Amino acid sequence: MEHLQMKNPIVEIDGDEMTRILWHMIKEELILPFVDLKTEYYDLGIRNRDETDDQVTIDAGNAIKRLKVGVKCATITPNEKRMAEYDLKRLWKSPNATIRSILDGTVFRTPILIDRIKPAVRTWQKPITIARHAFGDIYKGVELRIPGKGKAELVYTAEDGSVTSETINEFERRGIVQGTYNLDQSIESFAHACFNYALTVQQDLWFSTKDTISKTYDGTFRAIFEKVYKDHYQNEFEKKGINYFYTLIDDAIARVIRSKGGFIWACKNYDGDVMSDMVSTAFGSLAMMTSVLVSPEGNFEYEAAHGTVTQHYYKYLKGEETSTNPTATIFAWTGALTKRGELDNLPGLVAFAKSLETAVIDVLESGICTKDLGTLYEGVPPRVVSSEEFIREIRAKVEAVQPN
Ligand code: NAP
Ligand code: MG
């Protein structure tokens, strides 16, 4: 079989635990037999991050800036327990947070649907993509416990020393206060990423906040989105026949539940955190959720939305058979191959990625799946297989459709 050729490399970011095992199985069985794969490899396994004082993560982020396309395996974000488990020098930061801050990106999460698993919401027919603003608000907030009688104020001291202040509350008794912020620049980047993504996938973009209550804070989000839309995207949206639609967050939720799906829902940081778990669970499984980080300059990092599946890894280490679902990780690879193919004008590579995605869906539709999906099928119960067998079934389907 002739191997497909590539022009430019993809940034390949290896990771940890069970997903690292799957990563190599996917490459060996589903990609290397068909593609003369060009990658620039970065090992973000926890041991190598520790050995390089996390420099490897920064290098990987910068490589995506240079090469434009990356694919990332799930990685451990260490806590105290992990620090002891892997004898780490420090509690290294989340690699995703480091890469996100280098790329200044927005994360888009989309479920992979199959006919035999029905979403919990009966009207949903097409995937709903959540675009989460991944900066500021309560994630960078400060809080105070108010012990008793006294006044709490919001105070801004400008560089020239002038002061603007607002009373938050004259406390008569114990209570709480919170201060949060965001930056126009970050909201603008978020807006650009969302409008660009909507154009790429040719879907409507929804955006929701609570600007009736939060007139200045959420009102600024709304105003920036409106301005970015009018100044840069309205013409192209009209040409492509897609819409930008703003509504209040509570109205958006009601509409999402009644919708058929098939659009992008841009959410503020907290709303995106909560709504992406609601949407992914209602569509089926975390193992069927893809994720792509898109920067305002048009750099793309593809990954699975789930973590390193630690409990399965411990079983694997004991020599037990595991049935971990590789679907989202395979789709991370196909996403990166497709984008590379589009940027480098390689239709063969794009077609191969599509055929690999189709093969995964066909195997799942034929009633062969991993354990996480076993109880979700409608009708005839599926055959639950190991990760290896699942990947072998996919390979057989890919081989059947490759041109000789
Ligand atoms: P997780 O790895 O996503 O796993 C949580 C549970 O979800 C698993 O125990 C498993 O349930 C199920 N699951 C997730 N992915 C699956 C798959 N592909 N196939 C089958 N089942 C799957 O989350 P976690 O246990 O909270 O985190 C583990 C490690 O991953 C942590 O060190 C965390 O820092 C890291 N993490 C990394 C990323 C990232 O790199 N993007 C994201 C999240 C977490 P059952 O055990 O019930 O089968
Ligand atoms: Mg969450």
Side-chain angles (χ1 to χ4, degrees):
M1 202 175 292
E2 192 127 333
H3 281 62
L4 285 161
Q5 297 299 309
M6 293 176 65
K7 284 182 194 156
N8 294 298
I10 289 170
V11 181
E12 176 186 352
I13 304 177
D14 209 343
D16 288 303
E17 299 192 317
M18 200 60 217
T19 42
R20 188 180 178 100
I21 308 295
L22 292 177
W23 192 260
H24 292 276
M25 284 165 46
I26 291 166
K27 273 177 69 180
E28 288 301 322
E29 288 289 322
L30 301 179
I31 299 173
L32 294 175
F34 310 101
V35 181
D36 219 342
L37 186 68
K38 273 192 185 168
T39 70
E40 204 172 287
Y41 180 84
Y42 292 85
D43 182 1
L44 264 60
I46 187 84
R47 291 182 205 286
N48 195 44
R49 276 184 276 149
D50 199 47
E51 239 157 64
T52 62
D53 291 338
D54 212 23
Q55 185 60 41
V56 67
T57 307
I58 295 163
D59 293 345
N62 286 325
I64 298 177
K65 271 193 135 163
R66 181 163 37 82
L67 295 170
K68 293 192 163 300
V69 185
V71 58
K72 180 179 170 292
C73 177
T75 45
I76 292 169
T77 297
N79 53 20
E80 301 289 346
K81 190 166 155 262
R82 298 302 206 149
M83 195 158 152
E85 181 181 358
Y86 286 94
D87 191 21
L88 304 177
K89 290 187 235 168
R90 276 186 50 194
L91 271 185
W92 303 111
K93 282 206 316 197
S94 149
N96 285 12
T98 302
I99 294 172
R100 201 152 58 216
S101 73
I102 292 171
L103 296 177
D104 183 23
T106 299
V107 175
F108 296 87
R109 294 201 155 167
T110 311
I112 301 157
L113 304 193
I114 65 162
D115 285 344
R116 293 200 51 198
I117 297 178
K118 298 280 177 246
V121 178
R122 274 175 300 161
T123 49
W124 289 355
Q125 292 165 11
K126 292 180 188 159
I128 294 166
T129 297
I130 299 273
R132 173 181 169 190
H133 185 212
F135 177 82
D137 303 349
I138 58 166
Y139 302 85
K140 294 257 182 192
V142 291
E143 307 185 325
L144 273 184
R145 188 82 175 96
I146 302 295
K149 203 169 163 65
K151 182 160 91 166
E153 288 175 287
L154 268 183
V155 181
Y156 165 68
T157 311
E159 245 181 350
D160 67 5
S162 61
V163 169
T164 317
S165 71
E166 281 281 349
T167 300
I168 299 169
N169 192 36
E170 306 260 8
F171 283 91
E172 291 296 335
R173 50 186 71 85
R174 278 154 61 88
I176 40 182
V177 285
Q178 183 182 59
T180 67
Y181 76 96
N182 223 298
L183 301 172
D184 283 23
Q185 193 192 3
S186 173
I187 302 166
E188 276 164 30
S189 295
F190 174 49
H192 280 290
C194 292
F195 288 120
N196 270 321
Y197 194 79
L199 283 172
T200 312
V201 296
Q202 303 209 21
Q203 288 182 354
D204 290 351
L205 178 71
W206 296 19
F207 181 46
S208 54
T209 73
K210 192 72 181 174
D211 69 307
T212 44
I213 302 296
S214 169
K215 290 192 164 59
T216 302
Y217 199 106
D218 282 16
T220 301
F221 273 85
R222 179 182 182 169
I224 288 175
F225 262 69
E226 248 160 47
K227 181 162 172 35
V228 168
Y229 178 62
K230 290 219 167 77
D231 290 354
H232 301 276
Y233 298 97
Q234 189 164 7
N235 281 343
E236 279 205 70
F237 265 54
E238 282 167 6
K239 262 191 241 156
K240 292 221 159 137
I242 55 174
N243 296 304
Y244 168 57
F245 172 59
Y246 174 86
T247 188
L248 288 171
I249 178 79
D250 35 357
D251 181 52
I253 289 167
R255 285 171 188 266
V256 164
I257 298 296
R258 291 196 308 263
S259 77
K260 292 199 169 89
F263 54 89
I264 300 153
W265 182 12
C267 292
K268 286 178 64 198
N269 211 346
Y270 173 80
D271 301 341
D273 187 349
V274 178
M275 287 305 142
S276 69
D277 281 21
M278 190 272 282
V279 167
S280 66
T281 307
F283 270 114
S285 158
L286 197 56
M288 298 289 283
M289 195 80 174
T290 64
S291 185
V292 57
L293 174 69
V294 183
S295 84
E297 298 93 56
N299 303 314
F300 295 79
E301 184 208 44
Y302 295 84
E303 62 171 346
H306 60 76
T308 60
V309 213
T310 311
Q311 297 314 317
H312 294 210
Y313 182 59
Y314 292 156
K315 278 193 195 159
Y316 171 87
L317 288 181
K318 281 193 250 160
E320 290 172 34
E321 194 176 74
T322 64
S323 181
T324 317
N325 189 344
T327 300
T329 306
I330 296 171
F331 273 66
W333 273 99
T334 55
L337 290 168
T338 302
K339 184 52 74 179
R340 188 77 278 170
E342 285 169 3
L343 292 176
D344 295 350
N345 195 21
L346 297 169
L349 196 62
V350 176
F352 166 74
K354 185 76 213 158
S355 73
L356 180 47
E357 289 179 358
T358 306
V360 176
I361 302 291
D362 285 352
V363 169
L364 288 168
E365 295 287 11
S366 77
I368 299 170
C369 70
T370 45
K371 193 163 156 250
D372 54 309
L373 301 179
T375 56
L376 302 177
Y377 272 69
E378 307 256 315
V380 186
R383 182 159 72 86
V384 172
V385 298
S386 67
S387 312
E388 280 98 336
E389 192 176 345
F390 185 71
I391 288 173
R392 274 202 303 275
E393 293 282 346
I394 297 166
R395 176 162 176 176
K397 294 236 187 262
V398 180
E399 276 175 346
V401 298
Q402 288 313 299
N404 288 314

